[in-house]
Amino acid sequence: MTKIVGHRGARNIWPENSLTGFRKVLALDVDAVEFDVHLTDAGELVVIHDATLDRTTDRSGLVRSLTPDARQATLLTGSSDTVPTLAEVLSVLAQTDGKQLHVEIKSDEAHQPYPGITQKVVAEIERFGLGQRCHLTSFDVSVLEECRRVAPQIARLVSVNGEWASKQGGLQAFLQHVESLVDIVAIEHELMSAEWKRITQMLPLNRLGVWTLNDEASIRPWLERGIGHLTSDSPDLALRLSRDIQSQTQPA
């Protein structure tokens, strides 16, 4: 059965990467919660998607430039929530057993990995005793290789879209390269559709994830195919469709 992943804490329902979203998504029957981590120059691990503040907060500038005081005064767009730290997010998500955490290790504004971020993220995950519930994720294979070196006991997930696959020598070469590095390969839905036969010849469904699907017309076909993992900004919809499909296939 397809596992449903709440993308950035279900950003179509609650503010993206917000403590409010992370608290409330736990009430849904999602299998996993996905979120993003940057490292500031002050040494804080902060949960936000972009390397800049402009799109998702009431401020502008680089995430890495946030001081702790400035972070606590920076509001997420349309919300009274501030930019959370990784520790704050893990504290919330640790309260419910069973849900997996997809922790994406982000790069800086120059698309370069933050020095030392992997070790810091792993230390926080282990401090909360969540290693067995996490996948460390990235587009950057070098980051995932660092994850394997630093924390071989924590599962890994790689993301890829068509543009990124082309830069890595093509999809087939990319999949061959990461096959032994990661547990899950999460593929953008248009690339997955175009290369479905090739992909499924190389990897079983339970190791494949598709992203990011937010309406019934796009979600339902992947659920019917039995894809291993489906990431959505609207996981409530994905869960409802999954239940509908299960009820239709169960014997009367």
Side-chain angles (χ1 to χ4, degrees):
M1 186 172 67
T2 300
K3 294 182 178 181
I4 305 301
V5 183
H7 190 227
R8 304 182 201 169
R11 68 173 182 159
N12 277 1
I13 312 174
W14 303 291
E16 176 178 318
N17 279 325
S18 66
L19 288 180
T20 294
F22 294 126
R23 291 187 185 104
K24 292 188 174 182
V25 77
L26 294 178
L28 301 179
D29 195 25
V30 294
D31 298 285
V33 180
E34 187 270 354
F35 55 90
D36 312 278
V37 185
H38 286 265
L39 178 63
T40 70
D41 292 340
E44 280 197 313
L45 294 168
V46 295
V47 174
I48 188 170
H49 179 269
D50 301 355
T52 63
L53 300 167
D54 304 48
R55 182 180 64 86
T56 60
T57 81
D58 64 349
R59 300 197 179 196
S60 61
L62 298 179
V63 169
R64 70 181 308 152
S65 298
L66 278 176
T67 63
D69 287 344
R71 178 188 59 75
Q72 293 177 62
T74 300
L75 298 179
L76 300 181
T77 302
S79 170
S80 60
D81 283 31
T82 59
V83 176
T85 64
L86 176 60
E88 289 172 334
V89 172
L90 295 179
S91 179
V92 169
L93 297 179
Q95 296 173 20
T96 300
D97 292 336
K99 296 189 191 302
Q100 293 292 301
L101 313 181
H102 291 185
V103 185
E104 182 166 352
I105 298 176
K106 304 298 287 187
S107 295
D108 67 15
E109 70 283 357
H111 308 293
Q112 297 299 312
Y114 295 96
I117 188 172
T118 298
Q119 292 90 337
K120 289 178 178 289
V121 168
V122 168
E124 284 292 74
I125 288 170
E126 297 291 8
R127 184 165 72 89
F128 282 88
L130 292 171
Q132 294 303 308
R133 287 173 50 190
C134 287
H135 282 76
L136 298 172
T137 90
S138 181
F139 280 80
D140 190 329
V141 172
S142 71
V143 170
L144 292 168
E145 290 171 339
E146 176 73 355
C147 290
R148 179 171 59 183
R149 186 187 69 79
V150 171
Q153 74 281 9
I154 300 180
R156 294 173 296 277
L157 176 155
V158 69
S159 298
V160 63
N161 57 20
E163 180 182 4
W164 188 244
S166 296
K167 291 179 179 179
Q168 309 306 308
L171 181 62
Q172 183 166 334
F174 178 81
L175 293 179
Q176 289 172 339
H177 183 55
V178 301
E179 194 276 334
S180 63
L181 175 64
V182 300
D183 303 272
I184 300 172
V185 180
I187 301 175
E188 187 272 332
H189 66 95
E190 291 184 355
L191 178 60
M192 184 81 88
S193 293
E195 298 285 354
W196 176 250
K197 184 176 180 180
R198 184 198 306 269
I199 292 166
T200 52
Q201 286 174 342
M202 298 181 70
L203 291 167
L205 289 176
N206 69 321
R207 292 188 62 192
L208 291 172
V210 62
W211 54 273
T212 302
L213 305 167
N214 297 322
D215 59 75
E216 180 170 355
S218 61
I219 292 170
R220 184 178 288 275
W222 293 107
L223 295 175
E224 292 174 342
R225 280 176 164 175
I227 194 74
H229 311 263
L230 185 148
T231 298
S232 179
D233 296 321
S234 301
D236 54 338
L237 173 61
L239 289 163
R240 178 176 63 77
L241 294 173
S242 180
R243 288 191 294 267
D244 289 347
I245 291 170
Q246 290 177 58
S247 67
Q248 292 167 10
T249 57
Q250 290 174 353

